[in-house]
Amino acid sequence: MRKGMYERLLSDVDPNEWVKVGSRHHKHITGVQVKYNHNRWAWEIIGGAKCGLMYETKWVAQTEAVKGV
């Protein structure tokens, strides 16, 4: 699925830095992970300074996860 114009303008997500490690589970080259939490219907950041925060969309969670890294 392609990103919309709004997502492209705001997103700093480099797809080359993220690896899919499971179903709805992605890992950044720095070790920070973003995983979909089915119980809360949100993307959760695992590791890093923003560990435990949740977002509605994957690209926002990935952008926030690597800010300041």
Side-chain angles (χ1 to χ4, degrees):
M1 186 164 149
R2 296 184 61 162
K3 291 183 183 180
M5 182 178 17
Y6 179 74
E7 292 171 336
R8 278 186 268 138
L9 289 173
L10 296 178
S11 179
D12 292 332
V13 176
D14 183 359
N16 297 325
E17 295 180 352
W18 289 91
V19 177
K20 187 171 183 174
V21 294
S23 175
R24 295 191 174 195
H25 188 175
H26 302 269
K27 186 174 183 179
H28 191 257
I29 57 174
T30 61
V32 178
Q33 300 177 39
V34 171
K35 184 175 182 182
Y36 188 75
N37 186 327
H38 295 279
N39 293 324
R40 296 190 180 188
W41 294 1
W43 290 90
E44 181 177 10
I45 298 174
I46 304 168
K50 297 190 178 188
C51 184
L53 295 180
M54 297 191 172
Y55 298 91
E56 288 184 22
T57 58
K58 179 180 73 172
W59 68 270
V60 173
Q62 289 176 323
T63 301
E64 291 295 318
V66 296
K67 275 188 179 176
V69 175

